[in-house]
Amino acid sequence: MKIQTKTGSEGIDTILLEGDLDFHSSPEVRTELAKLVDRQSKKIVIDLHKVSYIDSSGLATFVELYQKMKRYSGKLVLFGLSPGVRSVFIIAKLDAIFKLAKDEKEAAAFVA
Amino acid sequence: MKIPPYLTLKNGAILLAVSVAAAFLSRTPPFNILEKRLLNHSFQIRGAEPPHPDLVIIEINDESLHRVGSWPWPRGFHGQFLKILAPAQAKVIFFDMFFPEKSNEQNDALFAEGIEKAGNVILSYYFPATQPKEMREPQGLPIEVLKKSAKHLGFVNVFPDSDGYVREIKLKHSDQGRTYYHSSLVTAAEYFGWVQKDLQKIPEKPFLINFPGPYLNFRVIPYEKIIQAYGYPGGKALFDSLKGKALLIGHTATGTALDLKPSPFSTHYPGVALQASMVHTLLTGKYIRRLPLDLHILMLFCFLILILSFTQNRKPVKGFLFTFASLVIAFLLIQVCFIYFRLWIPFASFGIPSLLVFLTITLYSFVKVHFEKELYSRELSLATKIQANLLRSEMPEIPGIEIAAVMIPARHVGGDLYDIITVDQTKCGISIGDVSGKGVPAALFMSKAISEFRRESHALNPSEVIKNLNIKLAEGGFSGLFITMLYLIIDPKTRSFVYANGGHDPLFFYQKSKNEVAVLVTETGGPLGIDEITEFDQKEAQAELGDILILETDGIKEAMNAKRELFGLERIQAAIIEAADKPAAEIIQHLQLRVSQFVKNAPQHDDMTIVCAKFV
């Protein structure tokens, strides 16, 4: 799993994930995300357009991030979900919890 | 540059230790012989190269014995030979044979005279020794009269390696204050006109022979050809061609050449050719150098890191292919170094440790994966037990509704749960849920969910129960776990029901009057345990006698067949209609049957849970 973190203007942390987000790669992603939470990043945008597969441990990683960010009123948005990845979110009914944006622009607008 | 995670200090230390050990081992038996065997191949791959142009072997072969007569020849004959050869003005003449005993005086005198006249003849002796450290008293020294007339003497010992091959020669030997020189060194020294000071610089350690090729690669002239050429007009060219040459005279005849020894180019390499090969090495200055120890360790260390980096976290076949490919490339590079730089890099010291590193990594990851699997399956069976203990085994008896439930856990427990309770004495509450994640954490989260649900279920509104449960679960922590739940309260007296949905599959409602199944959903609600502020609404509906309510988990809806098709909502609806006139338990059985007919032999991915309530 490739993880790229960049901090853009207006304090938006964008994380680009590349590869399958599963049982094996989730701990690595979790560690990276924990770093952002530790410094209380208020705006986190996750770019999933290079993620082709996600399993329950991948979902749990985002739920955990959501729960942690909620404590300090951070905003989390995911974008670039492939139809397959989106369907996993829908099956788990997590579309009711997470903000799933169409593209980076919409995502940035949401956290702004 | 980012340091890769496998390159820990510990791994580095291990690889360094392996490199040091391999470099040392390649210099000690039995591995040194393995390396030397590979050196044979390096010679063969390189092939023959031109010997030093001033090097000539004069052989006493079968033909010579046939023409001149059986050995030993009268020494006067050699004296004659040297006289004949004198005008050719060879630079040095070396006799690779011994003259330790007197023959008849006249013959000895003739030979001595020839030697004296030539003024550049080197005679041989030997040490009765099988290895250098046994070299004590020289033997086979020429008789006094010959010794006096010879320019120099040299010992001819060559010590084969333990596999019988000769690859090295000790050029100098000191013992009890005396220094002895090997015949090939003496020959080369005479050729170059070296003085004592030059010889002192030669180290005592054995020198690797740079074999130029097989025996016949040398310029070889039979002894008797030279005698025949004498006096013939055509012979002049032959004598002219010997001017300034180093002549090595030795036996190659079948009966007399007892010192045939294996060498990289032939298993029957004459002793005189060994001498010639060493002289060639000295004359050309093309010494073969062995890779120095420190550089050897460094190269090994880098190579092993390369092997580690490519076999780490790779499938055994890929890892093996890479290791194999690396070794092939290393082998080729080693040959290039040998051919172009005469640098001998021991290949086995790379091959054996790389295979060891590959095997260790493969074995380690195999054991690790096996161990983790074992641990995981133990954890799962523990989780299954927890899950089973939490579920109600007895159904409450509530007049007016018939209830049945079934749960089929998947091999990897998925975390389904259901609960059937009595609410407000006459009503029936049915919940069904699915915990995200697997294993013990999910099972513990489920037990929390069930106990919190039972505590909250005193409330009469499903939406309130779900909402309170969500708050309880969400404040619990950041485990990343969550649960979907559908909660339904049925009043059998009025045949009405109220439901709220926390991100779970919809409620299936069969109406007998219409003979169709409606899919009942709510407006709001997501999974429980993530966010306290999630909103949940509830809906109410009216049923009649014979109507059926079905709650299921996504193990049913998303049951998958071999073609990766999902069972889906429509098939659930159809199955319910087919069995609608049967009791609740049989409706469930029928739905299960339809699912198993659909998936056939495909493995079950998730728990399958069905609860059926029928108005009777």
Side-chain angles (χ1 to χ4, degrees):
Chain A
M1 176 116 241
K2 249 171 132 178
I3 307 167
Q4 274 179 48
T5 311
K6 61 169 187 201
T7 304
S9 57
E10 297 164 31
I12 299 176
D13 290 308
T14 307
I15 294 125
L16 172 67
L17 301 178
E18 192 176 343
D20 290 351
L21 187 52
D22 57 17
F23 184 65
H24 296 287
S25 57
S26 289
E28 196 186 341
V29 177
R30 180 168 300 167
T31 312
E32 280 303 308
L33 294 176
K35 287 181 196 162
L36 297 179
V37 171
D38 285 346
R39 59 176 172 84
Q40 305 227 326
S41 168
K42 288 266 190 195
K43 301 164 182 178
I44 299 181
V45 170
I46 296 177
D47 182 351
L48 291 174
H49 85 273
K50 284 185 174 170
V51 173
S52 49
Y53 172 78
I54 186 166
D55 75 351
S56 61
S57 60
L59 289 182
T61 307
F62 293 136
V63 169
E64 192 183 324
L65 175 66
Y66 181 90
Q67 289 171 326
K68 285 179 176 170
M69 288 180 75
K70 204 173 62 186
R71 295 287 152 129
Y72 59 80
S73 312
K75 278 185 175 175
L76 170 68
V77 57
L78 287 68
F79 80 94
L81 286 75
S82 71
V85 171
R86 183 177 286 275
S87 73
V88 174
F89 276 85
I90 291 170
I91 287 165
K93 311 298 185 299
L94 284 172
D95 53 331
I97 303 284
F98 285 102
K99 173 68 189 167
L100 306 178
K102 275 205 294 285
D103 50 31
E104 191 162 9
K105 209 174 149 192
E106 193 188 306
F110 176 77
V111 293
Chain B
M1 204 184 90
K2 204 179 154 192
I3 296 171
Y6 53 81
L7 216 60
T8 56
L9 206 60
K10 190 176 139 202
N11 281 357
I14 292 172
L15 289 190
L16 188 64
V18 171
S19 309
V20 171
F24 274 104
L25 283 174
S26 78
R27 286 162 159 78
T28 46
F31 296 103
N32 63 340
I33 290 304
L34 182 62
E35 299 292 11
K36 285 182 166 176
R37 282 272 176 182
L38 290 164
L39 183 64
N40 285 2
H41 293 289
S42 295
F43 273 111
Q44 283 156 9
I45 291 166
R46 186 204 69 185
E49 55 181 31
H52 190 277
D54 288 348
L55 203 50
V56 181
I57 292 177
I58 294 173
E59 64 168 8
I60 297 166
N61 60 16
D62 290 326
E63 185 68 15
S64 316
L65 296 183
H66 181 71
R67 286 181 181 266
V68 178
S70 64
W71 193 261
W73 293 342
R75 288 186 187 157
F77 196 76
H78 294 310
Q80 194 66 32
F81 174 80
L82 287 173
K83 267 183 205 160
I84 289 169
L85 207 56
Q89 291 180 302
K91 210 150 199 186
V92 51
I93 301 164
F94 163 62
F95 277 88
D96 185 16
M97 50 193 76
F98 307 118
F99 306 101
E101 68 295 306
K102 285 184 175 159
S103 63
N104 72 55
E105 216 163 292
Q106 198 190 354
N107 267 315
D108 286 345
L110 272 172
F111 189 24
E113 196 189 319
I115 294 171
E116 187 86 43
K117 227 173 195 172
N120 58 359
V121 172
I122 291 160
L123 296 178
S124 335
Y125 62 91
Y126 68 96
F127 286 94
T130 53
Q131 45 182 311
K133 62 180 177 193
E134 293 170 1
M135 287 160 77
R136 290 269 180 273
E137 273 302 308
Q139 283 194 13
L141 284 158
I143 51 168
E144 206 51 38
V145 59
L146 299 180
K147 201 164 122 184
K148 254 194 246 162
S149 41
K151 181 86 183 275
H152 296 292
L153 300 180
F155 66 87
V156 293
N157 293 66
V158 287
F159 298 102
D161 291 316
S162 62
D163 62 343
Y165 279 77
V166 176
R167 300 181 183 90
E168 289 175 319
I169 286 181
K170 195 176 185 212
L171 293 177
K172 195 170 146 186
H173 178 67
S174 298
D175 185 45
Q176 295 175 342
R178 282 212 57 188
T179 307
Y180 305 90
Y181 298 100
H182 193 264
S183 51
S184 57
L185 177 61
V186 181
T187 308
E190 181 61 22
Y191 178 86
F192 284 123
W194 285 347
V195 291
Q196 192 65 24
K197 217 170 76 188
D198 299 312
L199 291 176
Q200 274 166 4
K201 286 184 210 153
I202 303 284
E204 291 226 359
K205 69 174 176 61
F207 277 66
L208 282 160
I209 308 170
N210 185 0
F211 293 92
Y215 174 61
L216 286 175
N217 189 42
F218 288 105
R219 185 179 170 207
V220 180
I221 305 169
Y223 190 102
E224 84 284 358
K225 277 266 163 66
I226 292 180
I227 296 169
Q228 282 170 356
Y230 181 66
Y232 283 91
K236 194 179 174 295
L238 177 66
F239 285 96
D240 286 349
S241 75
L242 297 179
K243 192 176 177 187
K245 308 286 186 212
L247 310 182
L248 278 67
I249 304 167
H251 294 285
T252 58
T254 324
T256 51
L258 293 172
D259 57 346
L260 287 173
K261 298 224 164 52
S263 80
F265 280 104
S266 160
T267 49
H268 298 81
Y269 208 62
V272 68
L274 284 173
Q275 300 281 349
S277 296
M278 193 66 230
V279 176
H280 160 85
T281 312
L282 290 162
L283 257 45
T284 54
K286 290 181 174 177
Y287 300 103
I288 293 169
R289 286 164 303 137
R290 187 184 185 134
L291 185 66
L293 186 65
D294 47 359
L295 203 60
H296 190 180
I297 293 170
L298 182 71
M299 280 173 73
L300 261 169
F301 182 62
C302 295
F303 190 74
L304 292 181
I305 284 180
L306 183 83
I307 297 290
L308 174 74
S309 68
F310 276 89
T311 45
Q312 184 82 9
N313 293 332
R314 282 217 164 63
K315 288 193 175 135
V317 175
K318 261 193 182 170
F320 177 76
L321 285 178
F322 178 81
T323 308
F324 186 74
S326 306
L327 286 175
V328 169
I329 293 167
F331 183 79
L332 294 175
L333 287 175
I334 282 173
Q335 302 318 319
V336 168
C337 283
F338 182 76
I339 294 169
Y340 293 99
F341 309 107
R342 295 183 303 282
L343 182 63
W344 172 32
I345 304 173
F347 174 70
S349 69
F350 287 80
I352 297 169
S354 343
L355 289 174
L356 275 178
V357 166
F358 161 72
L359 284 175
T360 311
I361 289 172
T362 310
L363 201 71
Y364 176 74
S365 42
F366 174 78
V367 170
K368 202 174 144 208
V369 166
H370 196 75
F371 183 73
E372 274 174 2
K373 253 191 191 164
E374 177 74 28
L375 205 70
Y376 186 59
S377 77
R378 253 192 246 172
E379 190 181 295
L380 284 180
S381 71
L382 180 64
T384 313
K385 273 185 203 157
I386 296 172
Q387 190 183 7
N389 287 337
L390 288 170
L391 297 172
R392 215 173 272 281
S393 52
E394 282 174 29
M395 293 289 153
E397 290 277 332
I398 296 164
I401 33 176
E402 183 185 84
I403 301 174
V406 71
M407 185 166 91
I408 312 150
R411 205 162 64 85
H412 297 297
V413 61
D416 277 11
L417 61 92
Y418 68 88
D419 205 3
I420 297 156
I421 51 172
T422 310
V423 181
D424 200 17
Q425 290 170 353
T426 56
K427 292 175 188 168
C428 171
I430 304 173
S431 69
I432 190 162
D434 185 0
V435 175
S436 72
K438 287 168 183 154
V440 170
L444 293 176
F445 186 76
M446 185 204 279
S447 74
K448 185 180 179 193
I450 289 181
S451 56
E452 292 291 350
F453 169 75
R454 287 178 187 162
R455 196 171 302 150
E456 296 300 331
S457 61
H458 56 82
L460 300 180
N461 289 326
S463 65
E464 203 183 323
V465 174
I466 295 263
K467 195 177 169 188
N468 291 340
L469 178 59
N470 176 47
I471 292 166
K472 282 275 156 59
L473 293 176
E475 72 193 9
F478 323 114
S479 56
L481 292 165
F482 55 91
I483 180 171
T484 64
M485 184 177 272
L486 170 62
Y487 183 41
L488 162 75
I489 296 176
I490 305 169
D491 186 346
K493 278 187 201 154
T494 59
R495 290 201 180 108
S496 64
F497 57 93
V498 192
Y499 57 95
N501 196 338
H504 198 79
D505 277 358
L507 176 63
F508 294 87
F509 178 37
Y510 170 78
Q511 289 170 287
K512 197 178 175 185
S513 57
K514 296 180 185 166
N515 194 33
E516 61 181 41
V517 176
V519 175
L520 303 182
V521 293
T522 53
E523 304 291 328
T524 53
L528 317 184
I530 302 174
D531 198 343
E532 292 99 327
I533 60 162
T534 313
E535 287 295 325
F536 303 93
D537 67 315
Q538 64 179 27
K539 290 254 169 93
E540 190 169 355
Q542 186 60 48
E544 288 167 18
L545 187 69
D547 285 359
I548 300 160
L549 289 164
I550 296 269
L551 301 85
E552 50 78 67
T553 55
D554 51 13
I556 299 286
K557 196 181 77 194
E558 275 142 37
M560 196 185 278
N561 65 12
K563 287 187 230 159
R564 303 188 69 79
E565 292 166 333
L566 301 180
F567 190 67
L569 292 176
E570 282 96 25
R571 288 191 182 86
I572 297 176
Q573 289 168 305
I576 296 169
I577 294 168
E578 283 161 11
D581 55 346
K582 291 181 178 152
E586 286 177 37
I587 296 170
I588 289 179
Q589 281 168 13
H590 182 74
L591 185 51
Q592 279 181 283
L593 175 74
R594 284 287 183 249
V595 171
S596 61
Q597 283 169 343
F598 175 77
V599 299
K600 295 212 174 74
N601 296 325
Q604 183 187 347
H605 292 287
D606 202 352
D607 292 358
M608 292 183 186
T609 306
I610 312 166
V611 182
C612 177
K614 187 168 185 179
F615 291 91
V616 291

